[in-house]
Structures are given as C-alpha cells and as structure tokens.
Amino acid sequence: MGEEKRELYNSIVEAVRSCRACPLHRLRTNAVPGEGNLEAKVMFVGEAPGRSEDEQGRPFVGAAGQLLNELLLRAGLRRENVYITNVVKCRPPNNRTPTEEEVAACVGFLRQEIALVRPKVIVALGNTAGSTIMGLAGRQWRGVTAERGRKAKVTVEGVEVIVVPTYHPAAALYRPDLKELLADDIAEAAREASAQGTRRTLLDFMGG
Ligand code: URA
C-alpha cells in the first residue's frame, strides 16, 4: 500500500480527533475515526459511536460490534480485511439518532474515507448510514425497511460502488429475524466484492 495513502488516512484521523465542528465534541471521551484495511473492497458504515466506542475510540467494539464480527466471519470476511466507519464520529448523548446538523458537520470525513479507500461495496448499516450515503449519491432514500434488499450501483465521490442497504446490528441484537436478514446482506456484500475483484483482474489481464 502506498505510503501516501497511509499518510492521508493519518491526516483524516487527526482531523477527526481534533474536530469541533458540532456540539458533540464537548461530550466525547474519544472521537471515533474509521479503521481497517485501506485497500478494502468492502466498507461498513454505521450511524455513530456508542458508549464502548466512545470509551475506546474505535468503531463497533461494543455489543453491536460483536454481532458484526460474528456475521463478518460467517460471510468469510475478517475485520482486518474490511474498513469500518460511522457517519458521525462522536457519540450522541444516550445514543440518540444524530441530528441533520450533526450529520452535515461530520459527513466530510466519510466522503474523504470513501475517496481514500475506494471500496467496491458499501454496506449501509441502518437508516442514518443509508440515507447519508444515498444522499451523497444523489439518490432517494425511503427508509431502511423499504430499501433493505435493494442493492444499488451508484457513484459517490467519483467512486462507483454497490450500496447494500441493511439493518443496523444494534437493531438485530434482539431480533433473530433481522439478524438473519443482516447476515444474508453481509454475505451478499462479500459475494459482490469478490465478483467485482474477479472482473477487474480479468480486465487488467486483457489490458482493459
Ligand atoms: N453503532 C454504530 O452505529 N456505530 C458503532 O461504532 C457502534 C455502534
């Protein structure tokens, strides 16, 4: 991986940690930048840090993160091979949904992360992630219940990606029916990513 890419990532992390663009910075223990493989084909985007994430400064390390890890493994993915981030990088009080203003203040970081990693597939975990990413792509969003199961090929930050809208792991923690749908969607994202990889390799081989 290019040294430049790592440096750019480090500068995003620094900017997230020193951000004061919205009032959430006053409440944080730690800001939570995205993390993972900068060459990942699959990017997971959640809503905002919860209590454990705020304490540790890392995304998806609490109960929802444990479930995400389990479903990644089931899909043949490993955390080290994917990139995981959130729309909002500081914890909203009592884990409330981030406001439009908070999303607007923070979304520049997500845009930079997408432009840096250039994933093939983005798994949008829940409503906030889905509406934000589809918004960046200039697409409509009708809510996670309507959009789940309808993957979309879109362009975000000049990157052509397949967006897989699905439920948030926190919603699936106590709902076995949602957990199985989420598992199916993550498995589908893994399949899409490896299919994309194959096509690219073949094109490269043909000089395309
Ligand atoms: N929920 C999220 O949306 N993100 C996290 O990082 C943890 C829980």
Side-chain angles (χ1 to χ4, degrees):
M1 186 216 320
E3 195 57 27
E4 243 174 65
K5 201 166 187 180
R6 176 59 57 185
E7 278 172 21
L8 214 47
Y9 170 73
N10 289 342
S11 71
I12 297 171
V13 169
E14 238 353 276
V16 166
R17 291 194 178 135
S18 56
C19 180
R20 293 172 175 217
C22 87
L24 292 181
H25 81 271
R26 295 200 199 97
L27 306 171
R28 73 186 173 215
T29 312
N30 289 293
V32 179
E35 67 175 30
N37 194 319
L38 302 184
E39 305 293 327
K41 288 187 185 153
V42 188
M43 177 182 283
F44 289 83
V45 181
E47 179 173 286
R51 182 190 296 276
S52 307
E53 291 76 20
D54 174 70
E55 283 169 4
Q56 296 183 43
R58 295 184 54 211
F60 283 99
V61 289
Q66 296 305 312
L67 177 58
L68 183 60
N69 289 347
E70 176 195 325
L71 299 182
L72 286 178
L73 284 178
R74 260 170 75 174
L77 295 170
R78 296 164 143 269
R79 238 182 118 114
E80 309 88 86
N81 294 337
V82 301
Y83 188 89
I84 301 180
T85 191
N86 284 299
V87 173
V88 166
K89 306 319 197 222
C90 293
R91 183 190 183 204
N94 302 315
N95 298 343
R96 64 156 170 73
T97 305
T99 63
E100 267 180 38
E101 290 78 12
E102 289 158 358
V103 170
C106 216
V107 74
F109 294 128
L110 177 62
R111 294 173 62 173
Q112 290 173 44
E113 290 173 294
I114 294 170
L116 182 73
V117 177
R118 303 182 67 83
K120 299 289 174 200
V121 179
I122 296 179
V123 181
L125 300 166
N127 240 328
T128 300
S131 66
T132 302
I133 291 159
M134 294 305 264
L136 289 177
R139 298 291 192 98
Q140 279 213 321
W141 176 257
R142 297 164 310 140
V144 70
T145 314
E147 300 286 351
R148 186 263 143 198
R150 299 165 63 101
K151 60 187 176 190
K153 194 166 206 168
V154 304
T155 303
V156 184
E157 294 302 299
V159 184
E160 217 182 70
V161 289
I162 292 166
V163 177
V164 177
T166 190
Y167 294 106
H168 193 286
L173 270 178
Y174 306 104
R175 293 264 315 259
D177 53 330
L178 296 191
K179 178 174 166 179
E180 285 316 302
L181 293 174
L182 177 58
D184 288 350
D185 292 342
I186 293 176
E188 174 64 16
R191 275 193 298 275
E192 273 295 348
S194 58
Q196 297 285 319
T198 311
R199 278 201 285 280
R200 189 174 62 172
T201 308
L202 191 58
L203 275 181
D204 286 347
F205 176 70
M206 293 162 71

